[in-house]
Amino acid sequence: HRTWCCDPALLLSAASGGLFWLMRDAFVADGGRGDDLVRTLGKPVFEGYVRDLLGSLSLADSLAGDAETPGEGLPDFYFREGDGVLVAIEAKAPIMTESVKWSADAATLREELTKVAKKNQLMNATERLFRHKPKSVAGVRRVFPVILVLDPAFAAPGIEAELRAAVVKPSLGCEVGDIQVLTISDLECAGNYVARRSFAGLLSARHKSPAGLRYPLASFISSQRELIE
């Protein structure tokens, strides 16, 4: 008998990506714009799941976001952790098109990255948080900015470095760390580490590790088993 062994992650990516593009085509055929599908369906569902995941990491009590203060343009999620630490998260649901993934064209790829890092959105939102909600950030000495993506293609090491280089850090009167691009799978894998340390501690450990930012967060967590077992 012949057997065929495939990559489960590839199958999952193909199935979920295929479903997205079928829905997008149907949305366009019904008179809508393709990008509207992400805003009207994908982003709210994605953000709801992110909120549930952060809640499962025991961050629910300190979790805040735009749902509290609509229209202010604050980070999608932000929370205090430990003494003087703030984590600011922007959730991004766009999916990178297959033509861009396989184009091998740097200019096309950079244009696609604007879907995730357009107009310095996360940093500007964090700056507005410091300006409009001083009580929420009183005593903050360090900020960890995170872009959380649905499509892992946006979190590939080289692409994460491109996004990091494109970001302009605001002057907040405290230390602002480099942006880290995480996938939803990274967040799902963070539970054991966060239960013993903290989410900000995990981000800090990855940033300080010589090779930490070269690999997805989930891979970094696997390399730190002595800290979580």
Side-chain angles (χ1 to χ4, degrees):
H1 298 284
R2 292 183 178 181
T3 58
W4 179 50
C5 181
C6 60
D7 181 354
L10 177 61
L11 282 181
L12 180 61
S13 175
S16 58
L19 178 61
F20 174 85
W21 292 114
L22 282 173
M23 291 173 63
R24 182 183 184 278
D25 290 345
F27 200 78
V28 171
D30 200 38
R33 292 194 313 126
D35 291 343
D36 288 339
L37 177 62
V38 172
R39 286 191 292 270
T40 58
L41 178 60
K43 186 171 174 64
V45 172
F46 181 52
E47 288 184 357
Y49 182 55
V50 172
R51 183 175 292 275
D52 288 344
L53 276 178
L54 291 173
S56 73
L57 298 178
S58 301
L59 301 171
D61 291 341
S62 58
L63 191 60
D66 276 342
E68 273 191 356
T69 49
E72 291 192 16
L74 304 180
D76 289 329
F77 306 97
Y78 54 91
F79 51 89
R80 300 285 295 267
E81 252 197 334
D83 183 24
V85 175
L86 175 79
V87 179
I89 299 176
E90 191 74 25
K92 293 294 184 180
I95 291 181
M96 188 181 293
T97 61
E98 293 300 316
S99 59
V100 172
K101 287 181 184 178
W102 304 107
S103 67
D105 182 78
T108 303
L109 179 58
R110 287 193 179 96
E111 183 179 347
E112 189 83 353
L113 293 182
T114 61
K115 293 180 179 179
V116 171
K118 63 181 180 182
K119 299 179 181 178
N120 216 40
Q121 186 176 2
L122 174 56
M123 291 303 190
N124 290 340
T126 305
E127 187 175 24
R128 281 191 291 272
L129 174 63
F130 273 71
R131 190 166 61 246
H132 296 307
K133 284 187 165 288
K135 290 183 179 179
S136 297
V137 297
V140 168
R141 298 191 302 273
R142 188 173 188 189
V143 176
F144 287 93
V146 173
I147 295 178
L148 187 65
V149 296
L150 177 61
D151 187 348
F154 285 114
I159 294 177
E160 182 180 14
E162 283 279 345
L163 287 171
R164 198 176 298 119
V167 166
V168 179
K169 294 183 182 180
S171 177
L172 302 177
C174 64
E175 181 184 354
V176 181
D178 290 334
I179 274 188
Q180 296 194 41
V181 183
L182 310 182
T183 69
I184 198 69
S185 297
D186 290 329
L187 194 58
E188 290 167 340
C189 290
N192 284 340
Y193 192 107
V194 173
R196 291 163 175 77
R197 303 274 173 160
S198 69
F199 189 63
L202 175 59
L203 299 176
S204 178
R206 182 187 182 225
H207 186 267
K208 290 178 180 178
S209 173
L213 294 179
R214 298 181 195 169
Y215 304 102
L217 182 67
S219 299
F220 174 74
I221 292 172
S222 298
S223 72
Q224 303 296 306
R225 292 219 171 269
E226 69 278 4
L227 299 179
I228 62 177
E229 291 183 342

